[in-house]
């Protein structure tokens, strides 16, 4: 007999929970050993942001074991055995009310939309901040659900090279000296043309996209075993202070507070 978990129940300990109209978000750590995770479903639709690497999922687009900051969407009633390969992985659970469930997604999926991933990352850090409020969370969550059905690049007239440019910027974001003109050269376009396309089709400047990429990378790396200075260097920040200032400005919390928020 399949185990159906009531809304708000996940296989992991909970350190922080926040509610917003139509949503419940929690920071969690996987506590059930992977061999003890059996097939189960949930009463409602939900998202899981696997902060740490090694998340195992049968969702469409999943790798054998995921990289850090993998976002999974499970429609209502999805039968799955998603788990971390090793107990202790950190994740964010997002319960979605029935009237907000996106239409047309019938299978569990790995969410690849960059805007959705950036939003989910920001949500995880807002949770650990001291001033998170329901209105801000609701706004972010509604945007996240809207992004689930958006194409990776929203405009139907986006140039073919823009996706490659965005991928290159994410891949190269660990280089603190990275310049927009380097990305433009990589895809063979003028830097001004690149900047214009980012704003038009991705809704942000290349600099903002790069900052988001670095923040996402740093968030995925943060753990009790890694020094903040090492995380900052690997994520492409000039130094630890630069990373802390950027976290505080964009996420309303510090890397240290976020690292400790999962208990």
């Amino acid at each position: 007999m399949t185990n159906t978990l009531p809304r708000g129940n996940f296989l992991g300990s909970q350190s922080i929970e926040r509610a917003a109209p139509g949503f419940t978000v929690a920071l969690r750590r996987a506590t059930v050993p992977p061999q003890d995770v059996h097939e189960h479903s949930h009463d409602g639709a939900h998202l899981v942001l696997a902060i740490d690497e090694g998340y195992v999922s049968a969702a469409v687009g999943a790798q054998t074991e995921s990289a850090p900051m993998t976002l999974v969407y499970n429609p209502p009633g999805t039968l799955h055995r998603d788990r971390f390969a090793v107990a202790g992985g950190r994740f964010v659970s997002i319960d979605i009310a029935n009237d907000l469930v996106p239409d047309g997604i019938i299978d569990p999926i790995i969410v690849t939309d960059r805007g959705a991933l950036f939003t989910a990352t920001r949500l995880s850090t807002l949770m650990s901040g001291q001033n998170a409020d329901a209105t801000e969370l609701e706004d972010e969550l509604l945007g996240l659900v809207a992004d689930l059905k958006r194409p990776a690049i929203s405009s139907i007239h986006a140039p073919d090279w823009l996706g490659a440019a965005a991928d290159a910027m994410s891949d190269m974001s660990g280089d603190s000296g990275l310049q927009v003109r380097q990305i433009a050269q990589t895809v063979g376009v003028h830097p001004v043309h690149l900047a214009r396309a980012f704003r038009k089709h991705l809704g942000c400047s290349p600099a903002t996209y790069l900052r988001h990429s670095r923040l996402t990378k740093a968030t995925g790396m943060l753990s009790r075993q890694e020094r903040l200075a090492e995380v900052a260097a690997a994520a492409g920040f000039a130094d630890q202070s630069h990373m802390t200032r950027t976290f505080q400005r964009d996420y309303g919390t510090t890397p240290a507070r976020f690292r400790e928020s999962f208990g």
Side-chain angles (χ1 to χ4, degrees):
M1 181 177 179
T2 302
N3 182 27
T4 300
L5 301 181
R7 187 179 296 274
N9 282 251
F10 291 82
L11 303 179
S13 62
Q14 174 185 302
S15 58
I16 300 174
E17 181 177 279
R18 299 273 191 267
F23 301 94
T24 303
V25 189
L27 305 185
R28 301 179 184 273
R29 190 177 289 275
T31 53
V32 179
Q35 65 272 18
D36 294 337
V37 176
H38 304 293
E39 276 197 336
H40 62 280
S41 62
H42 297 255
D43 275 342
H46 67 273
L47 286 149
V48 166
L49 175 67
I51 302 290
D52 296 315
E53 65 183 357
Y55 193 68
V56 180
S57 174
V60 176
Q63 304 298 315
T64 303
E65 290 186 14
S66 71
M69 309 307 293
T70 292
L71 184 60
V72 181
Y73 171 68
N74 283 320
T78 298
L79 185 63
H80 67 91
R81 191 173 164 255
D82 290 8
R83 62 205 181 277
F84 279 94
V86 178
R90 299 168 301 160
F91 68 101
V92 180
S93 63
I94 302 173
D95 276 305
I96 304 172
N98 291 338
D99 61 333
L100 295 177
V101 172
D103 295 329
I105 306 178
I106 60 175
D107 296 312
I109 59 171
I110 300 297
V111 181
T112 58
D113 178 79
R114 299 175 181 90
L117 182 57
F118 289 154
T119 300
T121 303
R122 175 171 163 75
L123 277 166
S124 69
T125 54
L126 281 174
M127 294 283 289
S128 62
Q130 297 177 330
N131 300 315
D133 63 68
T135 301
E136 186 175 12
L137 286 173
E138 180 187 22
D139 183 62
E140 296 281 356
L141 286 159
L142 289 171
L144 175 56
V145 171
D147 283 345
L148 291 182
K149 292 190 66 177
R150 187 179 68 178
I153 296 175
S154 58
S155 172
I156 59 173
H157 301 298
D160 293 339
W161 51 261
L162 184 55
D167 288 341
M169 187 169 286
S170 296
D171 293 342
M172 299 168 66
S173 62
D175 177 2
S176 61
L178 182 64
Q179 298 179 344
V180 174
R181 65 177 58 253
Q182 291 175 252
I183 301 299
Q185 185 177 24
T186 298
V187 296
V189 300
H190 192 280
V192 173
H193 189 35
L194 178 80
R196 186 181 296 120
F198 261 77
R199 287 182 170 86
K200 179 178 180 181
H201 301 293
L202 297 179
C204 65
S205 69
T208 298
Y209 188 91
L210 178 58
R211 187 175 77 249
H212 286 168
S213 294
R214 286 172 172 158
L215 285 167
T216 299
K217 184 173 292 188
T219 302
M221 291 180 63
L222 286 170
S223 71
R224 299 182 190 279
Q225 290 74 37
E226 294 178 278
R227 297 172 59 237
L228 294 180
E230 294 172 350
V231 172
F237 293 98
D239 52 34
Q240 182 180 332
S241 295
H242 181 208
M243 179 176 72
T244 298
R245 290 194 305 272
T246 306
F247 246 76
Q248 189 73 56
R249 180 184 65 189
D250 282 32
Y251 291 160
T253 190
T254 65
R257 188 179 296 135
F258 172 75
R259 185 179 60 181
E260 299 299 323
S261 63
F262 288 83

